[in-house]
Amino acid sequence: MPEQRILRVAVPAPLHHCFDYLPPADLSADQLVPGVRVRVPFGRGERCGVLLELVTAEESSGRRLKPAGAVLDTVPLFSAADLALLRWAAGYYQHPIGEVFANALPVRLRRGEPQVSVLQKSWTLTALGRQQDPARLGRARKQAEVLALLQESGGSMDQAQILQVCGNCRPALQSLRQKGWIGSDEQPPGELGRAHAPTPSRLNTDQQQAVDAVESECFGAYLLDGVTGSGKTEVYLALVERMLEAGRQTLVLVPEIGLTPQLIRRFERRLGTGLAVLHSGLAAGERERAWHLARLGHAAVVLGTRSALLTPLPRLGLIVVDEEHDLSFKQQDGFRYSARDLAVIRAQRTGCPVLLGSATPSLETLQNARTGRYRHLRLPRRAGDAKPARMDLLDIRSVRMEAGLSPVLMQKLRETLDKGNQALLFINRRGYAPIVTCHACGWVAQCRRCDARMTLHADSRLLWCHHCGSQRRQDTKCPECGDTDLRTLGQGTERVEEVLASCFPEAGIARIDRDTTRRKGSLDQLLNGIRKGKYSLLLGTQMLAKGHHFPDVTLVGILDVDQGLFGADFRAAERMAQLIIQVAGRAGRAEKPGRVLIQTRHPDHPMMQLLVRQGYAAFASEMLAEREAAVFPPFSYQALLRAEAPRESAPREFLEEACSLAETLARGRVELWGPVPAPMERRAGRFRAHLLLQSDQRADLQRLLTPWVRRLATLKSARRVRWSIDVDPQEMF
Ligand code: ADP
Ligand code: ZN
Ligand code: ZN
């Protein structure tokens, strides 16, 4: 048998193939195991790639191969199954393999740095340290703080915990050590399955049936279709406990906004130390440590956002995707994968169950449940005794509005506050006003780099483009005619807050949008204030619509949903309905049933009527019927080729060429729509256009994409544009 000694490496580069290298000179072949990182020469520099496989010299297409630099890991970071999954994903999403691996690695490892230690460092007071009085440390305040903390907590604590309480106190720890007052120790992490799981709460019949329906020993996809507050999280926890007993790991994915400290604490309380949390807010080192704990099988449960899906898990037994309809599971740039869809593939390849939970399942998932590909589990009632909120439409045609608030809604707000309850207002726009215009000549403030209007942010006195982020000082007079009578039209959260503050001066107002929550910890502060009753009016964007329960809210007002009915995107109505139901779900509990008022100029619109009268399931069936008639997803499969360039004609030229290439390759099995300008043609100074591909067979689309995308890179017109391919696109912008 010919010796396999050529290294096939996934190198981060915008190219679809792997690169072959000779083994490093000083290494024996058995030290080369697929899944380790290798440093390789690339172009004029060096890159850090992942060894995928070893091949024979005949199998290698490369001539005059260069030797690889160094092997960076002694044991593989990825198992054979992990490598296969990521290679599959690179193929399916038509994304360069090296970049797919870069997405799967924590950032320091991606850069080729050594692994962080998974040992847990702890600090203990010495006998001398126990006798010290922190007050006598004088100006060394950090040292005093740490010393006091250790004395109060019985003399010993994990470094991570100390850092959490005292901030960065590493120098203080070192000084205390030099004084001989404290000493450190490093322990390996606890074993999987040793985590403590206190008595689970009693499940109701629906919950128990859902738990019992999930077969843990084989692949199966399950839709857990449960209204907000029906106890889906309890079902997840019960299944996690079953996995713990079996010594298997559970991966729980939640939306970006859903990974709240409350949720983490809820899992921690039930699982003790076996939890690893992975999200973008963590420091690189912490995140990498959690990743290793997962990869080594020490973490029983991995709770994370989208990219956690790509974590190696040697004993994976269950995947949960909470709020599976949420858009944040789809990465919108670079490697455009759907963590939800990939979760199903991963479960299938692993041979374990995957549970998709939502109060408003996506039409894709509902259709899979209808055809029997997924099992449909239902939790139709709220847990405990909480009643569902009552929904009504408020006709605002020919009604005098005050900053988007109708008199009826104002009256209901007043009544709610008078009873000592909380009210929540949802408005899907931040800033003060979306339009600034000159009353004399009709000029409108536009972004100079986008086909978009500037939003006025009164807090910062800036005009702000929400599409490219450019900002400029608010004009004092019209740049066209010089008139000073500039006015705003429409409203965002800032303006609604202003009006509420003047109408209800005695009420505490919590505004929750991206501007008020930019600082770390500020969202938690606001949410804590709401829970403690410091605020009685809550106002915000979709950040309010997700994840949080506000049990004292009895009135929900939804200010503006009409654009969803007539949006350019065929998914606009689906998203609007999901948003309405999710916002409505924030309100009410047993003693305090909730009321939801939806302001609309189209109160007779049949889809609105259906949603409000019969609920999401009825709405979704109707939408599915429409999609089927129009042969839109989920009844067909799409891919979107996007191109953009500073020169207006360049994207079109590239897409025309791409289109004729696709025509010859597809032989009529894939429809080609376009090229057309993107809904917002100019953005951040670039002209944008796209070409949509659609087929009623996923396989036909894939058969076209693989050769086509590789050929695109060789087109001359491709060099004049930035282009990307999006398989199963969720948004058409
Ligand atoms: P969901 O995830 O579906 O929104 P949660 O699991 O967060 O719902 O449950 C909503 C509320 O109901 C929580 O306060 C939870 O503690 C409570 N709850 C869940 N299951 C039960 C049950 N079987 N009996 C009583 N209360 C429950
Ligand atoms: Zn003017
Ligand atoms: Zn702009």
Side-chain angles (χ1 to χ4, degrees):
M1 200 179 103
E3 212 183 352
Q4 298 190 314
R5 24 192 346 264
I6 306 294
L7 282 58
R8 184 152 287 171
V9 181
V11 183
L15 293 162
H16 285 272
H17 53 90
C18 305
F19 294 84
D20 290 353
Y21 294 90
L22 297 171
D26 52 347
L27 219 61
S28 71
D30 58 343
Q31 284 176 279
L32 289 169
V33 191
V36 294
R37 291 173 301 150
V38 279
R39 211 186 288 287
V40 292
F42 194 84
R44 255 175 257 147
E46 268 196 336
R47 300 219 175 153
C48 169
V50 173
L51 177 60
L52 294 182
E53 57 181 328
L54 294 161
V55 298
T56 61
E58 290 77 57
E59 285 167 317
S60 171
S61 56
R63 269 171 286 272
R64 288 194 293 148
L65 298 178
K66 290 184 187 166
V71 174
L72 300 176
D73 302 298
T74 47
V75 288
L77 296 178
F78 296 101
S79 69
D82 300 328
L83 294 173
L85 175 72
L86 291 168
R87 289 180 89 163
W88 184 90
Y92 181 80
Y93 289 105
Q94 306 295 335
H95 197 69
I97 177 99
E99 290 183 1
V100 169
F101 276 90
N103 268 270
L105 282 168
V107 56
R108 294 175 64 266
L109 297 179
R110 203 180 298 166
R111 286 195 234 117
E113 290 175 38
Q115 299 179 22
V116 300
S117 162
V118 291
L119 294 178
Q120 206 152 355
K121 191 163 194 170
S122 64
W123 293 90
T124 309
L125 287 172
T126 59
L128 191 60
R130 286 182 190 279
Q131 299 160 11
Q132 304 302 321
D133 178 3
R136 298 190 53 190
L137 275 163
R139 290 205 301 173
R141 266 200 250 124
K142 268 282 179 232
Q143 291 183 43
E145 203 182 320
V146 173
L147 186 64
L149 178 68
L150 278 167
Q151 288 178 344
E152 281 158 26
S153 62
S156 188
M157 257 179 118
D158 284 346
Q159 172 158 309
Q161 274 177 303
I162 300 177
L163 292 177
Q164 214 162 43
V165 180
C166 302
N168 180 14
C169 53
R170 286 191 180 86
L173 286 165
Q174 293 309 331
S175 309
L176 290 170
R177 192 227 298 269
Q178 275 156 19
K179 293 191 170 89
W181 296 359
I182 62 173
S184 66
D185 189 16
E186 294 199 325
Q187 294 118 359
E191 270 298 300
L192 167 64
R194 300 267 167 77
H196 74 92
T199 34
S201 75
R202 258 270 231 352
L203 298 177
N204 62 35
T205 322
D206 293 329
Q207 287 170 317
Q208 193 60 52
Q209 277 174 357
V211 171
D212 293 342
V214 176
E215 291 178 51
S216 28
E217 298 302 320
C218 56
F219 168 68
Y222 303 84
L223 163 60
L224 184 62
D225 182 353
V227 298
T228 325
S230 59
K232 295 187 287 298
T233 311
E234 287 303 316
V235 171
Y236 307 153
L237 285 164
L239 287 167
V240 163
E241 276 157 19
R242 200 206 273 173
M243 287 297 142
L244 277 179
E245 279 161 28
R248 310 285 298 266
Q249 293 175 292
T250 306
L251 172 62
V252 181
L253 298 180
V254 297
E256 218 82 69
I257 294 172
L259 194 51
T260 56
Q262 293 90 280
L263 185 72
I264 295 173
R265 275 197 291 277
R266 197 163 161 192
F267 271 82
E268 261 170 1
R269 270 203 302 275
R270 293 283 280 275
L271 307 167
T273 54
L275 179 70
V277 181
L278 285 170
H279 64 86
S280 54
L282 296 174
E286 272 178 276
R287 187 173 173 153
E288 188 190 327
R289 187 167 176 277
W291 189 82
H292 286 303
L293 291 177
R295 175 179 74 79
L296 296 168
H298 293 305
V301 177
V302 175
L303 177 61
T305 48
R306 178 178 63 229
S307 66
L309 187 268
L310 305 174
T311 312
L313 295 161
R315 293 185 247 190
L316 180 61
L318 168 70
I319 308 180
V320 172
V321 183
D322 189 31
E323 310 285 5
E324 65 84 32
H325 65 280
D326 196 272
L327 254 186
S328 75
F329 289 122
K330 170 87 176 167
Q331 185 148 300
Q332 304 282 14
D333 54 12
F335 174 33
R336 293 178 151 85
Y337 66 102
S338 156
R340 177 202 57 206
D341 296 350
L342 215 40
V344 176
I345 300 291
R346 183 169 187 181
Q348 194 171 28
R349 299 175 72 104
T350 309
C352 76
V354 55
L355 187 64
L356 309 177
S358 178
T360 53
S362 65
L363 296 186
E364 277 83 358
T365 297
L366 275 176
Q367 181 58 19
N368 277 322
R370 283 181 160 199
T371 58
R373 266 209 272 169
Y374 295 179
R375 250 191 93 180
H376 200 156
L377 312 173
R378 291 183 178 86
L379 302 179
R381 279 169 290 273
R382 284 188 162 190
D385 271 325
K387 308 265 176 319
R390 201 181 111 199
M391 274 201 269
D392 288 296
L393 295 172
L394 264 187
D395 185 354
I396 53 167
R397 286 172 298 186
S398 63
V399 167
R400 238 190 83 81
M401 311 274 280
E402 168 107 37
L405 299 160
S406 63
V408 177
L409 184 54
M410 283 300 233
Q411 176 58 29
K412 294 288 174 201
L413 284 175
R414 163 87 47 216
E415 288 168 15
T416 306
L417 296 182
D418 286 348
K419 283 192 201 132
N421 291 326
Q422 287 177 334
L424 183 157
L425 289 176
F426 171 80
I427 170 160
N428 212 8
R429 188 182 285 126
R430 64 200 171 92
Y432 188 82
I435 302 175
V436 178
T437 173
C438 168
H439 195 58
C441 76
W443 165 87
V444 172
Q446 294 272 356
C447 176
R448 294 183 186 125
R449 309 170 67 217
C450 306
D451 295 332
R453 296 183 184 120
M454 298 297 270
T455 299
L456 173 64
H457 284 242
D459 286 357
S460 52
R461 302 208 180 157
L462 287 172
L463 291 174
W464 201 335
C465 174
H466 288 181
H467 302 280
C468 71
S470 58
Q471 299 174 337
R472 62 178 192 252
R473 197 80 55 76
Q474 190 183 342
D475 306 275
T476 48
K477 56 181 203 282
C478 174
E480 294 280 311
C481 73
D483 201 283
T484 52
D485 190 4
L486 298 183
R487 299 189 184 181
T488 58
L489 295 175
Q491 58 280 321
T493 46
E494 282 182 9
R495 175 139 186 247
V496 176
E497 182 185 23
E498 184 184 277
V499 168
L500 291 174
S502 74
C503 296
F504 306 103
E506 69 290 354
I509 302 176
R511 186 182 113 211
I512 296 188
D513 57 29
R514 257 206 283 159
D515 299 316
T516 60
T517 56
R518 222 171 281 270
R519 227 171 1 94
K520 205 177 165 194
S522 48
L523 177 61
D524 285 333
Q525 242 169 29
L526 282 165
L527 293 173
N528 275 330
I530 293 172
R531 215 161 301 118
K532 291 194 184 117
K534 191 170 145 199
Y535 307 109
S536 42
L537 283 175
L538 330 180
L539 152 78
T541 57
Q542 50 178 322
M543 291 188 75
L544 264 183
K546 295 179 185 177
H548 318 289
H549 284 287
F550 301 116
D552 290 319
V553 167
T554 58
L555 175 69
V556 171
I558 300 180
L559 262 50
D560 186 13
V561 293
D562 287 346
Q563 76 262 42
L565 287 174
F566 308 103
D569 194 321
F570 70 88
R571 285 192 175 85
E574 177 188 355
R575 304 240 190 275
M576 173 208 65
Q578 289 165 345
L579 207 50
I580 290 177
I581 299 297
Q582 293 288 341
V583 178
R586 305 303 115 200
R589 59 176 173 187
E591 333 64 281
K592 293 182 177 178
R595 178 100 193 263
V596 181
L597 295 175
I598 305 169
Q599 296 192 151
T600 174
R601 288 194 168 75
H602 306 277
D604 305 321
H605 196 288
M607 291 314 274
M608 275 292 217
Q609 290 278 344
L610 191 61
L611 181 66
V612 167
R613 299 259 157 79
Q614 294 182 48
Y616 184 78
F619 174 90
S621 312
E622 189 59 38
M623 287 298 300
L624 273 173
E626 279 185 15
R627 297 263 185 103
E628 185 163 21
V631 202
F632 273 142
F635 301 92
S636 61
Y637 304 91
Q638 297 181 332
L640 190 68
L641 177 64
R642 295 184 176 89
E644 56 172 52
R647 215 182 73 211
E648 192 171 358
S649 58
R652 213 185 165 89
E653 283 158 18
F654 165 70
L655 291 174
E656 296 281 7
E657 226 182 316
C659 188
S660 30
L661 188 57
E663 266 161 8
T664 53
L665 288 169
R667 299 205 196 91
R669 311 200 60 134
V670 174
E671 285 174 65
L672 299 161
W673 296 356
V676 292
M680 182 180 295
E681 187 175 6
R682 204 169 56 99
R683 182 163 154 185
R686 293 165 167 275
F687 290 89
R688 308 149 73 234
H690 57 225
L691 173 68
L692 183 68
L693 288 72
Q694 182 175 304
S695 174
D696 55 3
Q697 298 297 322
R698 206 192 279 278
D700 283 336
L701 185 60
Q702 281 291 326
R703 254 194 297 278
L704 165 65
L705 289 177
T706 306
W708 185 57
V709 170
R710 277 151 194 75
R711 296 266 293 273
L712 289 180
T714 66
L715 295 180
K716 224 177 184 171
S717 55
R719 279 184 239 152
R720 292 190 287 269
V721 298
R722 240 195 244 159
W723 63 273
S724 63
I725 185 86
D726 190 349
V727 178
D728 305 329
Q730 288 294 308
E731 289 180 297
M732 296 297 170
F733 57 74

